[in-house]
């Protein structure tokens, strides 16, 4: 089982992601440069956080036209697992692999803080090691994480269980105060209809070691591992 | 022919514009009255080479849709001016 961490110019969370997967979880992992077109041999692809292409034009807008993104789209089409973290989420939305878009935080401030995520659907390749309603303590670190989708898209997301996480308070209540960026319906992470492409603003790779304050991020990566174990290797 | 295009990208009505709201608050703080619905967008200027005005318009239209705006949040309009005497 092999994971790829996609690196664009301006990506800055690739080392954290590589460490979480490789050193903490002992998985096989490799960097994938944005010029790469060949994703063969990978079972999971992770678009790491950062500021690809300086966030010029819009967050993720330029990255989506990188050579690697055409391959990521094909990889997803073949059923491969794709996870976008923070800027990776923004890129997946720009690329149309996930519905909706990420806007400037409603308070205009960059927000770097711990957040609680309530698991809204634990029967996906990214959440199968969590329990429904479980609270995960995972940090956010972004200026443009304000998830937006029109009412029809939101209804679709809710109807098909595509909302994976909502920002909650420490008791699991979905409140405005617990919402770090103004995301509609406190949405922190979603997946596509098929369930093999997911994006989230919080950083699970930064919450995989006790010394960092939380190990809850492991649940997500271990869910991917668990899902992949249950089927033939390499898509 | 060279054409100068100006593409104006704006947020769709109903999409929250925290920047616009903040500017509006600042304007009100300064004591100005009767100012409302401040919305912030982008103006992107580009020169395109095309055989005709129609071809230039088609190219700008496509760029506006595929690259310069995000249709989830934004709409765009553009103007096109032939650059006479320039080659």
């Amino acid at each position: 089982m092999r994971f790829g961490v996609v690196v664009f110019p301006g990506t800055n969370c690739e080392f954290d992601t590589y460490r979480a997967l490789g050193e903490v979880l002992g998985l096989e992992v490799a960097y994938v440069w944005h010029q790469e077109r060949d994703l063969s041999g990978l079972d999971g692809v992770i678009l790491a956080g950062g500021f690809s292409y300086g966030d010029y034009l819009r967050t993720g807008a330029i990255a989506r036209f990188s050579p690697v993104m055409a391959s990521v789209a094909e990889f997803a089409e073949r059923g491969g697992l794709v996870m976008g973290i923070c800027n990776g989420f923004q890129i997946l939305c720009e690329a149309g692999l996930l519905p909706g878009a990420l806007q400037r935080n409603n308070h205009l401030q960059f927000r770097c803080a711990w957040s609680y995520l309530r698991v809204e659907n634990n029967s996906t390749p990214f959440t199968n090691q969590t329990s429904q309603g479980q609270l995960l303590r995972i940090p956010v670190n972004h200026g443009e994480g304000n998830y937006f989708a029109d009412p029809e898209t939101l209804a679709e997301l809710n109807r098909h269980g595509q909302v994976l996480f909502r920002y909650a308070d420490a008791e699991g209540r979905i409140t405005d105060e617990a919402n770090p960026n103004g995301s509609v319906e406190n949405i922190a992470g979603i997946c596509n209809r098929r369930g093999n492409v997911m994006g989230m603003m919080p950083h699970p790779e930064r919450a995989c070691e006790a010394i960092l304050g939380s190990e809850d991020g492991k649940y997500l990566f271990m869910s991917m591992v668990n899902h992949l174990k249950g089927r033939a290797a390499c898509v | 022919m060279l054409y100068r295009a100006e593409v104006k990208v704006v947020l769709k009505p109903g999409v929250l514009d925290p920047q616009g709201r903040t500017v509006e608050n600042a304007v009100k703080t300064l004591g100005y009255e009767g100012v409302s619905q401040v919305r912030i967008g982008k103006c992107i200027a580009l020169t395109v080479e095309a055989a005709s005005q129609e071809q230039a318009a088609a190219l700008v239209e496509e760029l506006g849709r595929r690259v310069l705006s995000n249709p989830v949040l934004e709409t765009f309009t553009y103007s096109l001016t032939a650059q006479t005497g320039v080659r």
Side-chain angles (χ1 to χ4, degrees):
Chain A
M1 193 181 304
R2 192 173 165 85
F3 288 84
V5 176
V6 179
V7 182
F8 299 94
T11 298
N12 64 14
C13 297
E14 70 271 34
F15 301 115
D16 310 54
T17 309
Y18 189 100
R19 177 183 165 83
L21 290 168
E23 292 176 43
V24 179
L25 296 170
L27 301 167
E28 204 182 328
V29 55
Y31 292 117
V32 180
W33 188 232
H34 65 115
Q35 301 283 15
E36 186 61 63
R37 292 174 191 275
D38 182 12
L39 299 181
S40 59
L42 296 178
D43 301 284
V45 170
I46 297 175
L47 276 63
F51 298 85
S52 59
Y53 298 90
D55 275 354
Y56 291 168
L57 192 61
R58 298 177 304 279
T59 58
I62 310 296
R64 69 155 288 204
F65 294 109
S66 296
V68 74
M69 285 310 294
S71 306
V72 168
E74 287 166 22
F75 181 79
E77 184 61 35
R78 293 199 302 273
L81 293 189
V82 179
M83 173 191 249
I85 301 169
C86 198
N87 189 222
F89 184 15
Q90 295 162 339
I91 295 168
L92 291 174
C93 286
E94 278 283 340
L97 292 172
L98 288 173
L102 283 312
Q103 298 190 263
R104 191 80 55 105
N105 293 350
N106 62 345
H107 44 68
L108 292 178
Q109 294 163 354
F110 192 94
R111 186 56 57 84
C112 177
W114 285 98
S115 65
Y116 286 100
L117 310 182
R118 193 176 78 184
V119 176
E120 302 289 296
N121 180 355
N122 74 334
S123 57
T124 76
F126 306 94
T127 54
N128 59 60
Q129 297 298 294
T130 64
S131 50
Q132 193 75 8
Q134 184 177 346
L135 282 184
L136 305 176
R137 190 165 175 268
I138 294 179
V140 292
N141 188 68
H142 59 248
E144 304 195 33
N146 181 355
Y147 183 74
F148 173 86
D150 59 47
E152 296 77 38
T153 307
L154 270 182
E156 284 285 301
L157 288 172
N158 284 317
R159 188 176 317 130
H160 302 294
Q162 290 173 247
V163 176
L164 303 189
F165 309 111
R166 292 186 207 274
Y167 298 108
D169 65 15
E171 275 74 51
R173 290 176 300 229
I174 307 300
T175 63
D176 286 345
E177 292 67 39
N179 189 338
N181 50 34
S183 287
V184 64
E185 295 186 5
N186 283 40
I187 289 174
I190 59 167
C191 66
N192 62 348
R193 177 79 189 273
R194 190 170 166 187
N196 66 318
V197 178
M198 85 88 93
M200 62 189 295
M201 287 311 298
H203 288 266
E205 82 282 11
R206 296 189 189 178
C208 287
E209 293 171 83
I211 195 171
L212 296 179
S214 172
E215 297 182 84
D216 290 352
K218 281 185 188 173
Y219 288 110
L220 279 58
F221 300 119
M222 291 318 290
S223 293
M224 293 171 79
V225 170
N226 181 60
H227 175 83
L228 290 166
K229 270 182 184 162
R231 54 168 225 188
C234 291
V235 290
Chain B
M1 273 295 285
L2 290 179
Y3 297 87
R4 190 67 178 162
E6 274 196 4
V7 181
K8 201 170 93 176
V9 181
V10 296
L11 286 172
K12 285 181 180 172
V15 173
L16 181 76
D17 180 4
Q19 286 191 91
R21 200 178 54 191
T22 304
V23 169
E24 188 171 321
N25 289 342
V27 166
K28 284 178 177 156
T29 303
L30 286 170
Y32 292 101
E33 289 172 11
V35 179
S36 65
Q37 296 175 50
V38 177
R39 307 284 281 174
I40 292 183
K42 290 184 198 115
C43 181
I44 302 158
L46 53 152
T47 300
V48 298
E49 192 174 352
S52 66
Q53 178 105 7
E54 289 69 34
Q55 283 189 14
L59 175 59
V60 172
E61 183 94 37
E62 183 175 328
L63 290 177
R65 199 175 56 246
R66 285 193 68 198
V67 185
L68 303 179
S69 75
N70 179 338
V72 175
L73 298 168
E74 300 165 328
T75 57
F76 69 95
T77 52
Y78 64 91
S79 65
L80 204 57
T81 317
Q83 305 248 285
T84 47
V86 184
R87 171 60 211 149

